[in-house]
Amino acid sequence: MEKIIEESKQGESLVLENKPENTKKLFIESYGCAMNFSDSEVVASILSDGGYNTTSVLEEADLVLVNTCSIRDKAEQTIRKRLEKYNAVKRTNPKMKVGVLGCMAERLKSQFLEEEKIVDLVVGPDAYKDLPNLLAEVEEGRDAINVILSKEETYGDISPVRLMSNGITALVSITRGCDNMCTFCVVPFTRGRERSREPQSIMAEIQDLWSKGYKEVTLLGQNVDSYLWYGGGLKKDFVNASEMQKATAVDFDQLLEMVAIGFPKMRIRFSTSNPQDMHESILHVMAKYPNICKHIHLPVQSGSNRILKEMNRLHSREEYMALIDKIRAIVPEASISQDMIAGFPTETEEDHQDTMSLMEYVKYNFGYMYSYSERPGTLAGRKMEDDVPEETKARRLQEIVDLQQKHAWFRSEEFVGKTVEVLVEKVSKKSEDEFSGRNSQSITVVFPKENYKIGDFVNVKITSCTSGTLKGEAVGYSEMN
């Protein structure tokens, strides 16, 4: 399950610099994972070339797009409410067109267009280049739909417009789709099979970001560790590649090293990792280069072997723990975060205790924890009864959250007295006199502003902490400046 972008950013309308020659107005909102937010930047770039400037005022928009998520039922309910709002505005502005993008579009295409008639266009995650044609169809008075999943599309040739950006950190998409077929997850059905983006286009995008003053990139994919470029095509077809293609293929540790060497004064992050694809070679690259951040998001979902099998996770509890041991040995300063699902079908109290004991073993720095909600179209949705009572799910989730809170305190306290490098990202929410940024381990650090500025790499001595934030005093610039 892809890490969900923080709650405060959900549904934020995205605005970028206007082109004076553009006459139409686009209102675009994103929900869900980092990949959706990255895709919205691609869409804005395509539509900017098609005559649209962005607006944050819904009522003045000619085109309203919502980039959607199907991971959790809550996300779908939120988007349905937004569509009701758009349609209320549309009644006073009948020229306005409403479109749904992304994963929910792929899943609910006929429902949105034909049964409920709440949108004019439906565009799946691989069809954004078709938007100008689809909008022409809508202008002619026809509903427009393209949810065909591609074997090739990676948007490597589109330079994304940075919508969510603070001008300091950016997301760079390196893979699309997923081959893992976890039984709880809709991603393989909404984003298609896994394919990787050409390495030179990734390097060119990062070069462009560097030239514009960005200081950190996150290499992004549903499963970055299985990145594999061999000239194009699906990952699963690599077995049929020529000897030359196999000999010149680029995998994730090679890509990571290329980026680290190519941009030594830029911080490199990556997300999301899948346990069965995180090879030791990746850890050695992380350990070797100081500009690769020492944080691994390593979803496990459950600590029970029986439930892991039901989920079709391609690793066991023991294999996961062995990987944790390897991370601790090779990259001892690394922080590790998790995704966890409480109350998966057939989960017993013993299974739940297995999850709790795994958490005790790892002591994660932070995590993303959910109670199971059945997603239509998934294998679990089709074949398994959602048989754990809601009150049991809620209690187990609360126990997981409470234990994670305890571990987060433990991990935060380990930093007190140490000096950490912080990339200054913004003014602190709580005080105008303090800056906020993250250290290499992706933990938020706040410190008094003094004469530093946003975009600086600053060494900060940690003096106190909460479970989620480190506090300290700046002691000078770091070598990354």
Side-chain angles (χ1 to χ4, degrees), residues 295-308:
H295 167 233
I296 299 171
H297 184 58
L298 199 64
V300 65
Q301 314 300 1
S302 173
S304 156
N305 275 334
R306 192 183 69 78
I307 293 295
L308 288 170

Side-chain angles (χ1 to χ4, degrees), residues 159-360:
S159 180
V161 175
R162 301 291 160 186
L163 297 163
M164 294 297 299
S165 180
N166 50 13
I168 305 298
T169 65
L171 305 170
V172 176
S173 177
I174 67 166
T175 70
R176 295 184 75 81
C178 186
D179 286 349
N180 283 337
M181 306 305 282
C182 300
T183 57
F184 55 79
C185 187
V186 293
V187 166
F189 307 105
T190 59
R191 288 188 172 271
R193 299 304 294 261
E194 190 175 311
R195 63 267 185 214
S196 296
R197 183 177 159 192
E198 199 266 324
Q200 291 312 320
S201 78
I202 295 168
M203 295 295 281
E205 185 176 334
I206 299 172
Q207 179 62 57
D208 180 57
L209 289 165
W210 172 248
S211 69
K212 289 173 178 167
Y214 283 77
K215 300 294 179 74
E216 179 183 287
V217 293
T218 300
L219 305 178
L220 194 64
Q222 245 75 37
N223 185 9
V224 287
D225 304 274
S226 68
Y227 174 91
L228 182 65
W229 172 262
Y230 60 98
L234 297 177
K235 168 130 194 240
K236 72 179 180 66
D237 295 335
F238 181 64
V239 289
N240 304 320
S242 69
E243 290 308 311
M244 177 58 84
Q245 283 176 313
K246 286 179 180 173
T248 56
V250 177
D251 59 15
F252 184 59
D253 57 344
Q254 291 168 300
L255 177 73
L256 193 56
E257 189 160 41
M258 277 168 64
V259 177
I261 293 170
F263 303 96
K265 295 292 185 184
M266 244 183 156
R267 260 194 188 172
I268 321 299
R269 298 187 186 276
F270 57 90
S271 184
T272 293
S273 293
N274 250 37
Q276 70 272 16
D277 295 304
M278 178 139 234
H279 305 299
E280 190 175 316
S281 54
I282 296 166
L283 300 175
H284 286 296
V285 173
M286 283 184 79
K288 185 175 177 183
Y289 296 97
N291 58 330
I292 299 176
C293 289
K294 307 304 187 257
H295 167 233
I296 299 171
H297 184 58
L298 199 64
V300 65
Q301 314 300 1
S302 173
S304 156
N305 275 334
R306 192 183 69 78
I307 293 295
L308 288 170
K309 204 164 183 182
E310 291 289 328
M311 290 176 165
N312 196 35
R313 299 290 286 171
L314 303 175
H315 61 85
S316 67
R317 170 192 174 91
E318 291 74 23
E319 286 165 336
Y320 186 90
M321 289 160 83
L323 177 57
I324 296 293
D325 293 345
K326 206 170 269 186
I327 293 167
R328 299 274 189 239
I330 298 169
V331 196
E333 70 274 39
S335 62
I336 303 171
S337 53
Q338 46 86 347
D339 287 346
M340 209 69 80
I341 297 173
F344 189 78
T346 77
E347 185 185 72
T348 64
E349 207 54 43
E350 187 183 351
D351 295 322
H352 171 60
Q353 291 308 320
D354 282 348
T355 295
M356 301 288 277
S357 71
L358 178 76
M359 289 177 70
E360 284 286 10

Side-chain angles (χ1 to χ4, degrees), residues 357-377:
S357 71
L358 178 76
M359 289 177 70
E360 284 286 10
Y361 186 82
V362 182
K363 294 185 173 61
Y364 295 98
N365 294 74
F366 54 95
Y368 304 88
M369 297 149 283
Y370 314 96
S371 60
Y372 175 74
S373 70
E374 188 177 285
R375 309 311 300 123

Side-chain angles (χ1 to χ4, degrees), residues 87-134:
N87 277 281
V89 174
K90 196 174 175 182
R91 283 194 282 278
T92 63
N93 177 13
K95 287 185 184 165
M96 177 195 278
K97 304 300 179 196
V98 175
V100 173
L101 312 176
C103 296
M104 207 169 155
E106 212 291 321
R107 204 173 75 68
L108 296 174
K109 46 195 178 280
S110 56
Q111 215 166 317
F112 282 158
L113 272 175
E114 292 149 27
E115 294 165 37
E116 300 176 33
K117 301 195 186 312
I118 51 176
V119 298
D120 303 290
L121 95 150
V122 174
V123 189
D126 290 347
Y128 298 142
K129 282 185 189 167
D130 200 27
L131 266 165
N133 300 328
L134 296 170

Side-chain angles (χ1 to χ4, degrees), residues 13-78:
S13 64
L14 311 175
V15 179
L16 59 141
E17 211 172 306
N18 285 346
K19 286 185 180 175
E21 67 273 20
N22 286 356
T23 55
K24 292 174 282 190
K25 292 194 172 171
L26 163 70
F27 179 93
I28 182 167
E29 287 183 338
S30 305
Y31 291 85
C33 69
M35 190 64 86
N36 273 5
F37 283 74
S38 176
D39 279 359
S40 289
E41 296 177 347
V42 169
V43 168
S45 178
I46 292 165
L47 290 178
S48 175
D49 292 340
Y52 285 87
N53 284 329
T54 51
T55 176
S56 59
V57 182
L58 174 62
E59 288 72 15
E60 68 179 32
D62 300 291
L63 174 63
V64 176
L65 297 176
V66 57
N67 200 342
T68 60
C69 172
S70 277
I71 288 283
R72 289 185 293 164
D73 185 56
K74 184 186 171 206
E76 287 201 2
Q77 297 313 320
T78 304

Side-chain angles (χ1 to χ4, degrees), residues 372-395:
Y372 175 74
S373 70
E374 188 177 285
R375 309 311 300 123
T378 61
L379 201 62
R382 294 199 307 271
K383 300 279 180 73
M384 298 178 191
E385 188 189 344
D386 186 2
D387 60 354
V388 178
E390 288 304 316
E391 59 272 22
T392 306
K393 282 185 196 173
R395 192 246 316 148

